[in-house]
Amino acid sequence: MRMSKKPELLVTAGSITEVQRLLQAGASAVLVGEPKYGLRLPGTMTVELIEEAMPIVREHHAKLYVAVNQLLHNDTMKELPNYLAQLECAGVDAIVYGDPAILMIAKDSAPNTKLFWNAEMTSTNFVTARYWQKRGASRMVLARELNMEQVQEMKRELPDMEVEVQVHGMTNIYHSKRHLLQHYMRHIGKEAHLEEVGIERKLFLIEQERQDEKYPVYEDEHGTYVMSSDDVCIIEDLKLLLEAGLDSFKIETLLKPLHYNETVVRVYREAIDRYAEDPQSYQFNEQWLERIREVQDPERELSFGFFYKEQMY
Amino acid sequence: MTTTMKHERKYFGKRNRLDKPELLAPAGNLEKLKFAIHYGADAVYIGGQKYGLRSNADNFSFEEMREGVEFANKYGAKVFVATNIYAHNEDIEGLEDYLRKLEEVGISAIIVADPAIIETSQRVAPKLEVHVSTQQSVSNWQTVQFWKNEGAPRVVLARETSMEEIAEIKQHVDVEIEAFIHGAMCSSYSGRCVLSNHFTDRDSNRGGCCQSCRWRYDLFEDDRADAEDMEQKPALEPFKVGITQLPLFQEEQNPFTMSSKDLCMIDHLPDLVDSGVDSFKVEGRMKSIHYVATVTNVYRQAIDSYMADPEQYQLKPEWVEEMNKAANRPVNTGFFYEEPDHEDHIYEPEEKAVPYDFAGLVIDYDPETQLATVQQRNHFKPGTEVEFFGPKGFFFKQTIEAIYDEKGNSLDAARHPLQYVKVKVDQPVKYFDMMRKKNR
């Protein structure tokens, strides 16, 4: 029997070109935004660019979401009502928030736009998801530190709320408001500016006891970000997430070349379509993983993230 | 000599606690709770057996909480419980009972990050105040307003919030604001760090933080083919493993770290009061009795002195000296005035030792013989130079002459932990006064 509704395949995108090519490759939704309001985007998509992207998105019968999940200080508050109103006006499909201030502002400024709750590493249980649901959120974006059972349980407990889970790519593991790279450069006697420690510079950290693990690190106007040394890849066990009924599968495209992301999107697209055609006969295809491996940076592990990891505390 | 500098008011926030800002101290266990309160804390925060962020601390049982609350009540002080994890599904079970129990033993407030716990607490333990934790990284007035609307009488701000922002928040929202004024700091936005999860499989947002931000890292630049080249070439070719990473440091230079200096606001108390902060919070549930007592004692004196007469207030050099005796990290003012810069991080290897140690606790004093009964807390012997101190700035130095055991036998040293000994003291002392000595 065919699947009634395919889960969404969501990608982050940083430009019109990326929106276009990733939709072409099989994504059914894109997440975009600008660093002033959104966290860790692969490029800046201003309201103008979003307006430009909307027809492309519609042409593909896809969705466009905007990340407004930055950690917000007073000074941004004044501009937010206008920004959210512009987004609604541009016809975006949802606003992704982390800070509850957005909930309050959106009520007035973007009352007809859906709200997705994404507090990154702190979206960890279904009671909290329901809390935000009651206050207007229609989707929960799961923290990446959850395991498979918790992810499956989340959807069971949230039948009438969309649940999004990251299936592929790197994850953020640290966010500081401090400009740690510029500080360090200054400490070792180099003058450094934001442009030189930005995402394009491709800097990474190696912890002294863990020489095999490279942790990308970069700065933007909101501080310093450290990213995981591995790329989550759940393609082998995508079936479990499909069966569990998760609503959206996210591919993080940050810090990857476009052709890599296209390959990954195509693979997941194929897997989702195959499952949708006939869930009973669906099987993982070893070639899918092969195709990803071919473009994978050999210095970055393809891992199961926290899906099968026991964490202590 | 001190120069008198008249304080000029620059921040205009209105306090909800009109009388005085609260001094809120950490209490890692029952004994620390007693010291914190005796040395001047208006309230202490502790951890229970579950749902707190210091799983390594020797956290309180309900019985200990009850005793702590009883002790606090005698001083008119309050006890808060940090219930500040981000819960996972499996943590939900048992939560209701736990919160009811906290209410029953007389806890005044819980410090909470996860809305699941906020909501549950409001439902099952309505007498417990809900204070929104710094783990929520609240740093703007509208979010503060949101939490007030949700029934939280107090919000603990993100450590990234500046003095000016605090004053602004206070002008917009009529709610109690708590701010960290002293102690160690996450260099990340609290709650937005899973370094421990990645490095050691320990969940930092459920109490497993292993302080990976203080480890040493080397910084490199990836000099392999960039994205555009990748478009043109077969995928694997541009990757020449290992040979195209450029170190951005020289061999002899310090490695990169995210380790922050500690926060210390003793120099800026008037500004803090002006900004309208209702509760001055000291970090350190894992810190020693000596630390908690010393730091609390100093802030208590500073707050009281300022509130008694703001016009004549002066920072006393001995307060700063005292503070330094318990500190083991260099300090700064966090985000209160300016964003931290390169001098606000610790790149050098850390000096772990604290300059002074807790050597003995005064149990009793006999004015006739001028002998104090002291419970040994660290090795000391005749000839050791010690300092006695107590609440409200009580302080004197002396050299230990003779030491006797309880039967009056002379001892060549106080060697045994918790042993009761008698020493002659130069000034009258009383129960709860402390004796410290310099670290060798």
Side-chain angles (χ1 to χ4, degrees), chain A residues 21 39-40 69 71-75 77-78 98-101 103-105 119-122 124-128 131-132 134-135 145-146 150 153-154 171-181 183-190 201-208 210-211 213-215 217 222 226 228 230 257-259 262 294-299 306 309-313, chain B residues 55 86-92 114-116 119 137 139-143 145-147 149-150 160-161 165 168-169 185-189 191-195 197-203 205-208 213 215-222 224-227 230-231 235-236 239-242 245 248-249 253-258 260 335 339-342 344-345 347-348:
Chain A
R21 287 184 43 189
L39 281 170
R40 295 178 289 277
N69 58 347
L71 290 140
L72 300 163
H73 286 253
N74 289 344
D75 52 357
M77 287 296 126
K78 290 185 203 75
D99 189 320
L103 278 183
M104 300 177 71
I105 299 168
E120 295 275 316
M121 38 282 255
T122 64
T124 48
N125 71 74
F126 59 83
V127 178
T128 302
Y131 180 94
W132 294 120
K134 276 179 239 155
R135 284 152 186 82
E145 291 73 32
L146 303 179
Q150 291 168 331
E153 184 180 17
M154 216 59 97
T171 62
N172 175 251
I173 65 174
Y174 173 92
H175 176 194
S176 173
K177 192 178 198 289
R178 297 157 190 259
H179 289 277
L180 293 166
L181 291 168
H183 298 167
Y184 178 63
M185 295 296 199
R186 227 162 282 152
H187 172 73
I188 59 173
K190 293 178 187 166
R201 181 77 188 270
K202 295 200 282 180
L203 298 175
F204 61 91
L205 298 171
I206 294 184
E207 198 272 311
Q208 298 193 333
R210 293 168 174 76
Q211 290 296 324
E213 298 167 18
K214 299 166 71 167
Y215 293 85
V217 59
H222 292 288
V226 180
S228 62
D230 56 335
L258 183 51
H259 91 114
E262 285 177 310
E294 270 171 33
V295 291
Q296 179 69 16
D297 178 345
E299 293 186 1
F306 287 96
K309 232 182 217 179
E310 189 62 42
Q311 289 179 84
M312 310 190 312
Y313 51 95
Chain B
S55 55
Y86 278 100
H88 285 215
N89 294 347
E90 65 268 26
D91 301 319
I92 302 293
D114 193 326
E119 193 183 51
S137 289
S139 46
N140 69 72
W141 67 265
Q142 261 165 312
T143 306
Q145 181 72 55
F146 174 87
W147 290 119
N149 297 353
E150 292 289 327
E160 287 76 8
T161 317
E165 289 173 325
E168 230 175 287
I169 287 168
M185 288 183 278
C186 287
S187 62
S188 69
Y189 276 106
R192 300 303 182 97
C193 171
V194 289
L195 291 175
N197 306 53
H198 279 259
F199 286 119
T200 63
D201 295 337
R202 291 178 62 90
D203 189 351
N205 281 331
R206 286 192 288 174
C213 61
W215 297 357
R216 311 277 133 181
Y217 301 83
D218 290 327
L219 179 64
F220 296 91
E221 179 175 7
D222 192 338
R224 297 176 300 179
D226 65 17
M230 294 271 299
E231 301 292 302
L236 266 178
F239 295 123
K240 293 199 180 96
V241 183
Q245 55 186 52
L248 291 187
F249 56 95
Q253 283 171 330
N254 289 318
F256 174 88
T257 174
M258 300 162 240
S260 168
F335 282 79
E339 281 195 20
D341 203 346
H342 64 292
D344 295 309
H345 296 97
Y347 298 105
E348 320 287 335

